[in-house]
Amino acid sequence: MIRVRDDKMPLAHLAVAVEAVGWAHPDTICLMVANTLIGNWDRSFGGGMNLSSKLAQLTCHGNLCHSFQSFNTSYTDTGLWGIYMVCEPATVADMLHTVQKEWIRLCTSVTESEVARAKNLLKTNMLLQLDGSTPICEDIGRQMLCYNRRIPIPELEARVDAVNAETIREVCTKYIYDKSPAIAAVGPIEQLPDFNRIRSNMCWLRD
C-alpha cells in the first residue's frame, strides 16, 4: 500500500487492484465482463439511478466521488483488475467501502440480467475499438504478440456469450474474494482506512 498525503491537492486519487491473469488465461474474458459490470462514471454523466452499473447508481445517489474507472490490465502471465477513483477528502472511506461491497456482490449475488447487459456492452465496445485501419492493425499486432494468432470476431463473441452469472461468481471469488489488494493513494487521504481494515473488507460484509 502506497500512501502519499498531500492536503494541498483538492481531490484524493485512489487506485485499488487485485492480481488477475495474463492475456491467454481462460478466465480473461470472464474478468473482462466483470470489469464491464463495474463500469465507469463521472459527474458529467446523466442517468442518475437509471445507470446500468450498480456502483454508478450508488455513487451518484450518495455523491461519493467525482469519477471512477474500472480497469482490467493483462500482461503475459499476470494482470491487474481494479478501479481508479477521484473523491472529495470527506468521502474517501465511504467510496472505498461501497466499491468493496460491490466487488463482494459480484462474488455472491450478481444476476443473469446484469451479466447479459454487460456482455452486450463488452461486445459493442470491442467492435467500436476496431473502427478504422489503424486500430485494426494495432489489434492484429497485439493479438499476434499475445496469442500468436488473431482471434476471429465470431470466436471472441462466442467466448463472451459463454459467460453467465455463475461463472462470474466463480471467477470473481477466485481472484477477488478474501484476496489482498494493492492500493495507491495520493492527495488529501486522511480518511483513507489503514490496510488491515481494507483487507478485512475483502470478504463478506455485514452492514
Side-chain angles (χ1 to χ4, degrees):
M1 180 173 182
I2 298 174
R3 305 171 66 118
V4 181
R5 182 173 173 182
D6 183 354
D7 291 340
K8 293 178 182 177
M9 292 176 64
L11 299 170
H13 298 253
L14 291 83
V16 186
V18 291
E19 184 177 3
V21 295
W23 277 110
H25 197 284
D27 291 336
T28 297
I29 296 293
C30 202
L31 287 170
M32 289 168 68
V33 176
N35 178 64
T36 307
L37 276 163
I38 297 295
N40 62 85
W41 178 84
D42 72 39
R43 286 184 170 182
S44 68
F45 287 10
M49 294 303 291
N50 298 311
L51 294 160
S52 60
S53 164
K54 293 283 188 185
L55 181 59
Q57 292 178 21
L58 295 167
T59 301
C60 181
H61 181 68
N63 196 27
L64 295 176
C65 74
H66 281 240
S67 65
F68 71 81
Q69 172 72 55
S70 61
F71 59 84
N72 178 41
T73 306
S74 294
Y75 304 102
T76 303
D77 56 357
T78 188
L80 287 170
W81 188 96
I83 188 167
Y84 166 74
M85 47 199 158
V86 181
C87 311
E88 297 280 350
T91 62
V92 169
D94 288 342
M95 180 61 187
L96 184 57
H97 182 72
T98 302
V99 167
Q100 290 184 281
K101 283 180 68 175
E102 185 63 15
W103 283 5
I104 299 306
R105 196 182 70 82
L106 290 185
C107 302
T108 56
S109 56
V110 68
T111 64
E112 289 288 356
S113 61
E114 289 176 276
V115 174
R117 186 187 299 117
K119 290 194 298 185
N120 287 334
L121 182 57
L122 176 61
K123 288 187 287 186
T124 301
N125 289 339
M126 287 193 300
L127 292 175
L128 285 173
Q129 289 171 3
L130 302 178
D131 183 23
S133 57
T134 301
I136 288 173
C137 289
E138 290 176 353
D139 182 63
I140 292 171
R142 183 166 48 249
Q143 292 202 29
M144 288 301 295
L145 288 171
C146 296
Y147 308 119
N148 291 320
R149 68 185 182 103
R150 191 184 186 204
I151 298 176
I153 296 296
E155 181 183 336
L156 206 51
E157 288 187 347
R159 290 188 186 186
V160 173
D161 288 336
V163 175
N164 57 32
E166 183 180 354
T167 54
I168 289 285
R169 289 191 290 266
E170 288 175 357
V171 170
C172 287
T173 298
K174 187 192 299 186
Y175 297 105
I176 301 170
Y177 196 87
D178 204 23
K179 297 294 187 292
S180 294
I183 304 154
V186 63
I189 53 171
E190 180 184 5
Q191 290 203 16
L192 180 67
D194 65 26
F195 180 80
N196 289 332
R197 183 176 166 195
I198 296 170
R199 175 66 182 83
S200 68
N201 285 343
M202 292 299 290
C203 50
W204 187 259
L205 300 168
R206 299 289 185 184
D207 289 329

